[in-house]
Amino acid sequence: MCYLQIMKWRNTYLGDLVALIFPELCQACGNSLVRNEDMICTACTYDLPYTNFHQHTDNVVAKQLWDRVDVVMVYVLLYFTKGGNVQNMMHAFKYKNMPRIGNKLGTIAGAQLTQSSGAKDIDLIIPVPLHPEKLRLRGYNQSAQFAQGLAGPLNIQVETDNLIRLRHTDTQTKKSRFGRYENMKDVFKVSSPEKLEGKHVLLVDDIITTGSTIEACGIELLKVPGLKLSVAAIAYAE
């Protein structure tokens, strides 16, 4: 039975019965979802560790980037802690073929950003690209899924073909800050800079740790004449 048919049944009076046979779990806490809940249960939707960075332009991630890349605004939706609900969601999102988690979180983030003055004049959303080899293996770019969710509330176009990744890089997980920076040097390129001239671009990633990926992308994007750069991500891991 296909997933869409199960979801259609869950949202009818037969939903409780269908849920017993085909239970869908919250990707944050693991509890069963009830009728009209999607991917994340209502309790987790309210209780996730939101940063509220859309209300604070001088937030910790913005300060982390200020002396490295010229940014207008830096926004992150959630705090990431090991063993927490955000880690559960991100693991399912990246490794369990659940791209809709990114869309869901992007919609929540987009609604917050509509309240931020820094997002008022953004022209274009650009997700951090995956290398084509990794994209084929995973089947989707998690940053692009988040970007698509953002695009709805913000009513802004997503551009996935202009910022490209030139080479595959080693995992960043166990590298020092300097090692992460070295790993990301000369990885990205803007293929059609003339299309971005004078634009305010929102660069989107999934998780920000040291900011080395954002820095590497930002350096390339800011070579475009007149371009202004803002940043958004799902989670921040200290």
Side-chain angles (χ1 to χ4, degrees):
M1 183 177 296
C2 73
Y3 177 81
L4 289 177
Q5 187 174 5
I6 294 171
M7 287 299 297
K8 182 178 179 181
W9 284 10
R10 286 183 72 249
N11 293 325
T12 68
Y13 290 109
L14 294 175
D16 292 338
L17 177 60
V18 173
L20 289 174
I21 304 171
F22 302 102
E24 188 180 10
L25 304 181
C26 171
Q27 298 306 312
C29 68
N31 291 329
S32 296
L33 297 178
V34 298
R35 190 183 304 170
N36 297 321
E37 291 182 338
D38 180 34
M39 306 302 291
I40 308 170
C41 70
T42 302
C44 284
T45 300
Y46 281 102
D47 292 339
L48 286 172
Y50 295 106
T51 66
N52 292 315
F53 281 0
H54 61 293
Q55 300 174 352
H56 305 285
T57 57
D58 59 344
N59 61 72
V60 63
V61 185
K63 291 178 179 178
Q64 185 183 78
L65 293 172
W66 276 348
D67 62 342
R68 299 157 61 188
V69 61
D70 186 14
V71 291
V72 176
M73 176 195 70
V74 179
Y75 164 84
V76 181
L77 177 65
L78 302 166
Y79 288 108
F80 180 102
T81 55
K82 289 185 178 180
N85 286 350
V86 176
Q87 184 179 33
N88 295 338
M89 286 193 303
M90 297 305 293
H91 183 80
F93 178 34
K94 295 179 72 170
Y95 304 117
K96 293 187 176 181
N97 195 30
M98 291 192 174
R100 288 194 311 112
I101 294 175
N103 301 144
K104 176 80 172 182
L105 295 173
T107 300
I108 296 171
Q112 286 191 359
L113 280 174
T114 60
Q115 304 170 35
S116 171
S117 59
K120 298 296 184 184
D121 66 340
I122 291 172
D123 300 300
L124 200 62
I125 302 173
I126 296 183
V128 170
L130 284 181
H131 188 273
E133 179 183 341
K134 183 171 283 189
L135 183 59
R136 282 193 297 269
L137 288 173
R138 183 169 293 162
Y140 56 91
N141 177 352
Q142 67 275 8
S143 296
Q145 295 296 322
F146 180 57
Q148 291 293 344
L150 282 167
L154 294 174
N155 193 28
I156 299 172
Q157 179 184 349
V158 177
E159 172 61 70
T160 59
D161 299 324
N162 207 332
L163 182 64
I164 59 175
R165 187 182 288 250
L166 298 174
R167 60 181 173 85
H168 181 67
T169 51
D170 298 331
T171 179
Q172 299 272 77
T173 306
K174 296 183 178 180
K175 295 184 182 296
S176 65
R177 177 170 173 171
F178 179 74
R180 290 177 184 234
Y181 171 77
E182 287 293 307
N183 193 42
M184 300 307 298
K185 281 179 65 176
D186 303 318
V187 170
F188 302 101
K189 179 183 178 181
V190 176
S191 60
S192 301
E194 69 280 0
K195 294 181 180 180
L196 301 180
E197 288 186 12
K199 302 289 188 182
H200 184 179
V201 170
L202 181 65
L203 176 65
V204 172
D205 203 358
D206 56 353
I207 301 177
I208 293 178
T209 49
T210 64
S212 56
T213 300
I214 292 294
E215 181 180 6
C217 290
I219 287 171
E220 291 304 309
L221 286 167
L222 287 168
K223 291 177 181 177
V224 176
L227 185 141
K228 295 192 297 181
L229 182 67
S230 287
V231 173
I234 300 173
Y236 170 58
E238 295 183 83

